[in-house]
Amino acid sequence: MSSLTKLSSNKTFGGHVIKYEHASTELDCTMKFNVFLPKEADQSPVPAIYFLSGLTCTEDNFIQKSGAMAEAAKHGLALIAPDTSPRGVSIEGDSDSWDFGTGAGFYLDATDPKWAKHYRMYSYVSKELPELIKQLPIDATRVSIMGHSMGGHGALSIFLKNSAQYKSASAFSPIANPMNCPWGQKAFSNYLGDNKDEWEQYDTVELLKSFQGQHNHVLVDVGTSDNFLQGELKIDTLQQTVDDLGRADQWKIRYQEGYDHSYFFISTFVADHIQHHASYLK
Amino acid sequence: MSSLTKLSSNKTFGGHVIKYEHASTELDCTMKFNVFLPKEADQSPVPAIYFLSGLTCTEDNFIQKSGAMAEAAKHGLALIAPDTSPRGVSIEGDSDSWDFGTGAGFYLDATDPKWAKHYRMYSYVSKELPELIKQLPIDATRVSIMGHSMGGHGALSIFLKNSAQYKSASAFSPIANPMNCPWGQKAFSNYLGDNKDEWEQYDTVELLKSFQGQHNHVLVDVGTSDNFLQGELKIDTLQQTVDDLGRADQWKIRYQEGYDHSYFFISTFVADHIQHHASYLK
């Protein structure tokens, strides 16, 4: 296992936000992530929540803009905020658009030969990071996962594929059915090729249909003034699938009147999400 | 009075963050500022707190990173976040360093002919903005002022010079005695020339010595791990002055163990500051 290099540490809400750098074996490049460790971590390992960010973000956006540490500190929970794609690798076309390539790893393992060496964010988040954080005072048996937009897709799909690994999941404005929206189709066709069977392995709506896990503790918030609500997020399709499967008691999907896709929306409801996870992590 | 052009509006914590642009008569340029209006402002004018930002900041840093809207919404208070200098003016040397010129207006009215036309942030914040916000649902008779670093200097000095205008003041890591620190000496000598009598008109410690106002409801927080604590902020000098004047009951100065100069510090204690102001604004 590679070692973690501490780049910075800032005290906040009685704990610390720490930025780490490390060599990633899955992504074959140097990566950074942020961790918030509450003061309780000085005494013994604490439960943690992963937060997966959206298109164009780095490991910093959530930590700087969400206000989540205020609530995480109240519950003695750690927060883990990874980056959104491999960094410092040079692949033709990886910086041509804001919704594909750098900053847009889509939390999958690419199979297209051009991308397959580095673009393995699914395995990075679900396998490599959980091993790495064993070096930190985090209780690896009590973790949950959440995210925003592309990261909401990541959180829900990774949760459905590894439900024994996470106590609960939540998402803000997730790309819920990427197979059927422009962002997802662009990413999946380039990273995975044309085989729709492979696409289904990273699509929340499709994964939910075949889900056989024991539990489903999921909270989803989306704003009714989100410009991407109809074209990209497909929350109605997710709600219909939840209803058809009789899982409405396990999937709480809330439409928040007048809110948009920004951190002004996330910060308003992030305390609700932390409380949701805390109830399953305690 | 110039009109306000609304550039954006985002719903947050039940209210809205609105970005305005306007022609500034004091600064002779186009300026932007952000306002958080809580939902109560839909019914009737609400009290407000100005937040003055530090070196290199714009009108966005506080709004995006402080988490202050969570607490402001609880108390039904507006927040007003101006920029830190004139923008879009071209003066030789205004972009040569991060601690002088653009992004570093120091909340004074320059007298040096080179800077005097545009660098009038003191009058902009204390006179022009209070007139402009009469166009918004804000109760102009109930306002307070706070700030960070250079903006902490701005908040405390503007408060002491206009104590009838503000119900209370507070500051994070203020430059408390700019006449006697490198940041302040660089700014004051360039903007004001060599006359120390003029410098004293913008120095919190000096203004406090001659303060004749009726009230002094001030809260100051500073981190003990702030890299600028000894060299630039001079909080010990402020504390000594407060003690010498017998004003320790009116000036609450707190040293926060282990915290630094960043927004990770501000966000931790911003709720305390909002509550401080709320107690005088209600």
Side-chain angles (χ1 to χ4, degrees):
Chain A
M1 192 194 317
S2 66
S3 61
L4 298 174
T5 303
K6 186 185 290 190
L7 297 182
S8 62
S9 177
N10 300 87
K11 189 170 181 181
T12 195
F13 291 99
H16 288 83
V17 165
I18 307 171
K19 181 172 290 215
Y20 289 105
E21 187 175 72
H22 69 98
S24 167
T25 50
E26 289 290 351
L27 307 179
D28 196 22
C29 65
T30 300
M31 294 293 289
K32 295 172 186 167
F33 65 93
N34 283 307
V35 173
F36 169 70
L37 291 175
K39 66 177 185 295
E40 287 81 357
D42 294 342
Q43 304 301 319
S44 57
V46 296
I49 308 169
Y50 287 87
F51 185 93
L52 306 184
S53 282
L55 290 165
T56 76
C57 289
T58 70
E59 71 278 9
D60 286 335
N61 302 65
F62 175 73
I63 292 295
Q64 294 182 352
K65 294 185 172 181
S66 71
M69 278 91 81
E71 192 69 19
K74 286 182 193 168
H75 299 278
L77 299 175
L79 301 170
I80 305 166
D83 205 344
T84 56
S85 77
R87 297 284 171 177
V89 303
S90 189
I91 301 174
E92 186 195 352
D94 67 359
S95 301
D96 288 354
S97 50
W98 62 274
D99 57 0
F100 180 74
T102 303
F106 264 86
Y107 305 102
L108 51 73
D109 288 349
T111 53
D112 182 280
K114 182 176 174 181
W115 305 98
K117 183 181 179 194
H118 295 293
Y119 278 73
R120 297 179 54 77
M121 288 297 291
Y122 170 72
S123 289
Y124 176 68
V125 169
S126 65
K127 298 187 180 81
E128 185 170 4
L129 273 181
E131 283 300 312
L132 278 171
I133 63 164
K134 289 179 180 172
Q135 301 174 45
L136 305 176
I138 288 174
D139 179 352
T141 68
R142 291 187 293 161
V143 297
S144 291
I145 192 164
M146 64 195 293
H148 172 234
S149 195
M150 176 184 73
H153 140 71
L156 298 179
S157 59
I158 289 173
F159 171 74
L160 289 169
K161 290 161 76 73
N162 305 272
S163 66
Q165 190 171 329
Y166 304 98
K167 299 292 185 190
S168 51
S170 76
F172 297 93
S173 331
I175 306 173
N177 187 200
M179 291 181 67
N180 292 311
C181 77
W183 279 340
Q185 289 165 348
K186 180 176 180 178
F188 285 12
S189 62
N190 280 282
Y191 290 134
L192 301 172
D194 294 333
N195 185 343
K196 296 290 168 72
D197 290 344
E198 286 206 45
W199 293 25
E200 290 183 357
Q201 298 309 307
Y202 298 105
D203 185 288
T204 292
V205 164
E206 293 302 320
L207 288 167
L208 184 55
K209 288 178 185 170
S210 58
F211 181 73
Q212 299 292 328
Q214 290 300 306
H215 74 93
N216 242 204
H217 307 308
V218 183
L219 173 63
V220 174
D221 272 315
V222 64
T224 62
S225 296
D226 188 321
N227 288 332
F228 304 114
L229 180 56
Q230 296 308 322
E232 299 284 3
L233 306 184
K234 306 292 180 190
I235 306 299
D236 289 353
T237 307
L238 177 63
Q239 181 70 67
Q240 188 62 55
T241 306
V242 164
D243 291 344
D244 291 347
L245 294 169
R247 289 191 179 274
D249 57 326
Q250 303 163 36
W251 281 67
K252 189 169 186 180
I253 300 173
R254 310 189 301 190
Y255 288 80
Q256 302 290 0
E257 183 67 29
Y259 288 87
D260 59 27
H261 201 70
S262 71
Y263 267 95
F264 294 117
F265 163 58
I266 295 174
S267 59
T268 303
F269 297 102
V270 75
D272 287 2
H273 285 236
I274 302 286
Q275 289 161 19
H276 164 77
H277 295 294
S279 68
Y280 298 105
L281 289 169
K282 288 300 177 75
Chain B
M1 193 192 320
S2 66
S3 61
L4 298 174
T5 302
K6 187 185 289 191
L7 298 182
S8 63
S9 177
N10 300 86
K11 189 170 181 181
T12 195
F13 291 99
H16 288 84
V17 165
I18 306 170
K19 181 172 290 216
Y20 289 105
E21 187 176 73
H22 69 100
S24 167
T25 50
E26 289 289 350
L27 307 179
D28 197 20
C29 66
T30 300
M31 294 293 289
K32 295 172 186 166
F33 65 93
N34 284 307
V35 173
F36 169 69
L37 291 176
K39 65 177 185 294
E40 288 81 357
D42 294 343
Q43 304 303 319
S44 57
V46 296
I49 308 170
Y50 287 87
F51 185 93
L52 306 185
S53 283
L55 291 165
T56 77
C57 289
T58 70
E59 72 278 8
D60 287 334
N61 301 65
F62 174 74
I63 292 295
Q64 294 183 352
K65 293 185 171 181
S66 71
M69 278 93 80
E71 193 69 19
K74 286 182 193 168
H75 298 277
L77 299 175
L79 301 170
I80 305 165
D83 205 343
T84 57
S85 78
R87 297 283 172 178
V89 302
S90 188
I91 301 175
E92 186 196 350
D94 66 0
S95 300
D96 288 354
S97 51
W98 62 274
D99 57 0
F100 180 74
T102 304
F106 264 87
Y107 305 101
L108 51 73
D109 287 349
T111 53
D112 182 281
K114 182 176 174 182
W115 305 97
K117 183 181 179 195
H118 295 293
Y119 279 72
R120 298 179 52 78
M121 287 298 290
Y122 170 73
S123 288
Y124 175 68
V125 169
S126 65
K127 299 189 180 79
E128 185 170 4
L129 274 181
E131 284 299 313
L132 277 171
I133 63 165
K134 289 180 180 172
Q135 301 175 45
L136 305 176
I138 289 174
D139 179 353
T141 68
R142 290 188 293 160
V143 299
S144 291
I145 191 163
M146 64 194 294
H148 172 233
S149 195
M150 175 184 75
H153 140 71
L156 297 179
S157 59
I158 289 173
F159 171 74
L160 288 168
K161 290 161 75 74
N162 305 273
S163 66
Q165 191 171 327
Y166 304 98
K167 298 292 185 190
S168 51
S170 76
F172 297 94
S173 332
I175 305 172
N177 187 201
M179 291 181 68
N180 291 311
C181 78
W183 279 339
Q185 290 165 349
K186 180 176 179 178
F188 285 13
S189 62
N190 280 282
Y191 291 134
L192 301 173
D194 293 332
N195 186 343
K196 297 291 169 70
D197 290 343
E198 286 205 45
W199 294 23
E200 289 183 358
Q201 298 308 307
Y202 298 105
D203 185 288
T204 292
V205 164
E206 293 303 320
L207 288 166
L208 183 55
K209 287 177 185 171
S210 57
F211 181 73
Q212 300 293 327
Q214 290 300 306
H215 74 93
N216 241 206
H217 306 310
V218 183
L219 173 63
V220 175
D221 272 316
V222 63
T224 62
S225 296
D226 188 321
N227 288 332
F228 304 113
L229 180 56
Q230 296 307 323
E232 300 284 5
L233 306 185
K234 306 292 179 190
I235 306 298
D236 289 354
T237 307
L238 177 63
Q239 180 71 66
Q240 188 63 54
T241 307
V242 164
D243 291 344
D244 290 347
L245 294 169
R247 289 192 179 272
D249 57 324
Q250 302 164 36
W251 281 67
K252 189 169 187 180
I253 300 174
R254 310 189 301 189
Y255 288 80
Q256 302 291 359
E257 183 67 30
Y259 288 87
D260 60 27
H261 202 70
S262 71
Y263 266 96
F264 294 118
F265 162 58
I266 296 174
S267 59
T268 303
F269 298 102
V270 75
D272 287 3
H273 285 237
I274 301 286
Q275 289 161 21
H276 164 78
H277 295 295
S279 68
Y280 299 105
L281 289 169
K282 287 301 177 76

